[in-house]
Amino acid sequence: MSARSRSWNLERGLAAAAIGLALAAWSLPALRLATPVTAPQQWSTWQLALPASAQGSRAQPTLKQRITQLANLDRQWRALARGAASPPAADAATGQSSGPGSGWKWSAVRAVPWAVAVAAWAAVLAALGLALRWRGLTMLAAAVGAAGAAYAAVVSPAATALARAELRHALATARSRWPWTAMFSFHLHPPALTVAIGVWVLLAAFLAVLLLGGGGRRGRKARA
């Protein structure tokens, strides 16, 4: 066995190990969400990749339901910060709904679990491509998976920072408008959408596959 052939076998073995880690990430915690009125709740990668099965196997609310709840609260505290008695149901000028979760921020947040699900299924496609020695499929799946995991890792802390800033502003506005509310202590959890180890494992595994080249046709040429 030539040195070039041994090198290709090593690269393919490392790529297989990386994809194995990505598949193992299906069982790991992926996302954690806390709203101001609910305790932190966690979802595994498989619960996001197979939402129908996850919803049927547990009684706790889904991530989509929790995000909708947080969007409702966000709408209420933004109305409070504007001094409105209650949030408007629609924009009178445009006729467009300004209901809970409207706007770019909540579109971005709602896409986070979808991005994790895409990354999880990309791990399956990458494993299939590696098994069949289809380098193109392996690399495409790894690129898509890395993009999905990176999206979740970037948007989650950005949305958390924005939500916390808006909540602080709303509470400060309410206390300045109604000083007597300072007599009451409000126990609110800081809103937080955080990625857990499953997302980081997916991201690291896909980046490793992209760096290694995924084996396949290039490796066969190296052995020739």
Side-chain angles (χ1 to χ4, degrees), residues 2-97:
S2 67
R4 185 175 294 180
S5 179
R6 284 195 300 270
S7 175
W8 178 80
N9 286 334
L10 177 61
E11 284 188 7
R12 196 165 188 275
L14 291 174
I19 292 175
L21 283 176
L23 293 175
W26 271 66
S27 63
L28 297 174
L31 289 176
R32 186 172 180 267
L33 176 67
T35 74
V37 295
T38 61
Q41 188 177 348
Q42 191 165 261
W43 290 265
S44 297
T45 304
W46 75 268
Q47 291 174 318
L48 303 177
L50 300 170
S53 300
Q55 189 170 4
S57 64
R58 59 199 175 98
Q60 63 181 351
T62 63
L63 178 57
K64 180 180 178 181
Q65 291 169 333
R66 285 299 192 209
I67 289 176
T68 299
Q69 181 183 40
L70 185 57
N72 274 288
L73 292 170
D74 173 80
R75 184 185 179 211
Q76 291 169 12
W77 70 58
R78 280 188 291 110
L80 182 64
R82 291 195 305 267
S86 60
D91 189 321
T94 63
Q96 294 179 346
S97 171

Side-chain angles (χ1 to χ4, degrees), residues 35-40 73 167 171 175 181 184-191:
T35 74
V37 295
T38 61
L73 292 170
L167 178 58
L171 291 177
R175 285 176 178 168
T181 58
F184 301 94
S185 59
F186 300 100
H187 180 66
L188 299 176
H189 300 282

